[in-house]
Amino acid sequence: MAETEDLMQLRAILTNASGDTPLASRFRALFSLKSLGKDGFTEAIDIIGEAFKDDSALLKHELAYVLGQTKDFYAVPTLQNVLKDVHEDPMVRHEAAEALGAIGDKGSLDLLKEYFQKDPLEIIRQTCELAIARIEWEHSNLSQVEVLQNSHFSSIDPAPPLPYENSSVDQLQKVLMDQSVPLFERYRAMFRLRDIGTAESVDALITGLNDPSALFRHEIAYVFGQLCDPRSVNALVKVLQNESEEGMVRHEAAEALGSIATDDVMPVLQKFLQDKERVVRESAVVALDMYEYERSEEMEYVAVPHASTVTV
């Protein structure tokens, strides 16, 4: 069990108790707590929940993501409350709904169906649609009989990859971009293309950045951050530079570039430290810290004694 002193230090960093903790340090503290939460340490989940009082939508959306990744039902009430708070930033509410799907909580189905039907925001309706489908899939016989590729990625995704028999990149791209196909199946094609991980599948995924759904586009950018494939850099830079693009999509593109961490990425990210959108500015800060991590010898992206060279 984690030492109380260590937990209190992580709490102080995450919640910015000093009032001047760099955002990148707070993200690292969050991912330190994530590892504890995944081990069933509920005090870590409580600390993460406490940080929803913050005014940074970027941080709060990451809090919700991490709670989903713990797959701990103890986090469900906090996530439900975030989803129900219509005054909360939509990006944060979206992530809370997605996290409920990741946890697989059948008890959240009624709430998710309510917001799927009534919420005025497409991003929330679509996320609830995905979360409902994921929970239903997880508790179905299909999840037991489908033969899925062993993924290199440990994340709990909004949809499981399509099974082996749907392995043609051309076929998967058609599913990915077909607006008549249920969103859940299109996401399944997306994550299957991710797991294939070839140049051809990266090119297929790039076409998803032209989808009419901001939610879909942001997930494509997230997948590129997982793949860390330099072939996606130019497409991600275009997304980040497009000031008419939704902030949540540009944010995801920035963080993906930080994970890819090629030489040409740093000067691009530095330009967006002064972007007019707060979520983009803060994403550039976090992305530059991720860039430093990817090019370092650090084993994990967790809290470290030294502060990042980039502050906000």
Side-chain angles (χ1 to χ4, degrees):
M1 181 173 286
E3 294 291 339
T4 301
E5 184 178 347
D6 292 339
L7 269 178
M8 290 304 98
Q9 182 179 12
L10 290 172
R11 177 183 177 275
I13 296 171
L14 178 63
T15 61
N16 191 20
S18 68
D20 60 359
T21 307
L23 183 63
S25 298
R26 300 176 71 190
F27 266 65
R28 285 179 176 251
L30 173 59
F31 281 90
S32 297
L33 288 163
K34 173 188 172 185
S35 64
L36 298 176
K38 289 185 73 172
D39 292 334
F41 196 39
T42 57
E43 192 171 353
I45 294 175
D46 285 336
I47 293 171
I48 294 171
E50 185 180 342
F52 278 105
K53 299 174 184 176
D54 202 80
D55 65 354
S56 167
L58 180 69
L59 178 66
K60 287 186 289 186
H61 117 287
E62 202 71 21
L63 299 175
Y65 170 78
V66 164
L67 289 179
Q69 295 301 299
T70 68
K71 210 166 176 62
D72 194 320
F73 286 87
Y74 184 76
V76 165
T78 296
L79 292 166
Q80 289 181 339
N81 287 335
V82 172
L83 174 58
K84 289 187 285 188
D85 183 0
V86 295
H87 300 294
E88 181 57 270
D89 188 284
M91 189 171 80
V92 183
R93 294 180 63 220
H94 134 72
E95 204 67 53
E98 185 175 293
L100 291 169
I103 292 172
D105 176 38
K106 291 175 69 175
S108 294
L109 281 173
D110 286 345
L111 179 67
L112 289 165
K113 289 175 181 178
E114 176 186 351
Y115 282 93
F116 169 56
Q117 293 168 354
K118 78 173 190 180
D119 202 276
L121 300 175
E122 181 182 67
I123 176 181
I124 304 300
R125 295 195 305 272
Q126 289 185 333
T127 306
C128 289
E129 176 186 352
L130 288 167
I132 292 164
R134 196 194 193 290
I135 293 170
E136 291 177 343
W137 174 86
E138 185 173 335
H139 293 279
S140 71
N141 290 332
L142 194 60
S143 67
Q144 305 300 317
V145 299
E146 285 187 331
V147 181
L148 306 181
Q149 176 182 341
N150 289 327
S151 179
H152 296 296
F153 306 97
S154 61
S155 57
I156 304 168
D157 302 313
L162 283 170
Y164 268 125
E165 56 263 29
N166 302 91
S167 57
S168 161
V169 170
D170 286 342
Q171 180 183 357
L172 289 167
Q173 185 179 15
K174 289 178 182 177
V175 176
L176 181 78
M177 300 305 295
D178 189 342
Q179 300 294 315
S180 69
V181 173
L183 189 60
F184 186 69
E185 293 303 307
R186 296 178 63 209
Y187 265 58
R188 295 197 72 182
M190 183 192 306
F191 287 104
R192 181 73 182 104
L193 286 165
R194 176 200 65 183
D195 286 353
I196 291 172
T198 61
E200 187 182 12
S201 69
V202 169
D203 288 340
L205 285 165
I206 287 173
T207 64
L209 291 172
N210 296 316
D211 194 81
S213 164
L215 183 73
F216 193 90
R217 298 194 301 273
H218 115 286
E219 200 68 34
I220 292 284
Y222 168 80
V223 163
F224 284 140
Q226 289 187 303
L227 283 170
C228 295
D229 192 315
R231 286 170 289 206
S232 64
V233 166
N234 287 341
L236 289 167
V237 170
K238 288 180 182 178
V239 170
L240 181 56
Q241 290 175 335
N242 181 6
E243 293 186 355
S244 65
E245 178 59 276
E246 295 287 343
M248 68 178 294
V249 184
R250 295 178 67 211
H251 126 72
E252 209 67 67
E255 292 194 7
L257 288 167
S259 294
I260 296 169
T262 50
D263 290 342
D264 52 339
V265 162
M266 178 178 277
V268 172
L269 291 172
Q270 287 174 330
K271 292 178 182 178
F272 291 92
L273 290 171
Q274 305 300 325
D275 195 84
K276 64 181 181 181
E277 280 201 73
R278 179 177 176 179
V279 70
V280 176
R281 295 195 303 272
E282 291 185 345
S283 295
V285 170
V286 173
L288 286 166
D289 188 59
M290 293 166 65
Y291 176 97
E292 292 179 9
Y293 158 73
E294 293 290 349
R295 296 173 74 96
S296 73
E297 297 181 358
E298 295 177 53
M299 297 299 293
E300 294 182 276
Y301 186 73
V302 293
V304 289
H306 65 275
S308 168
T309 56
V310 181
T311 60
V312 63

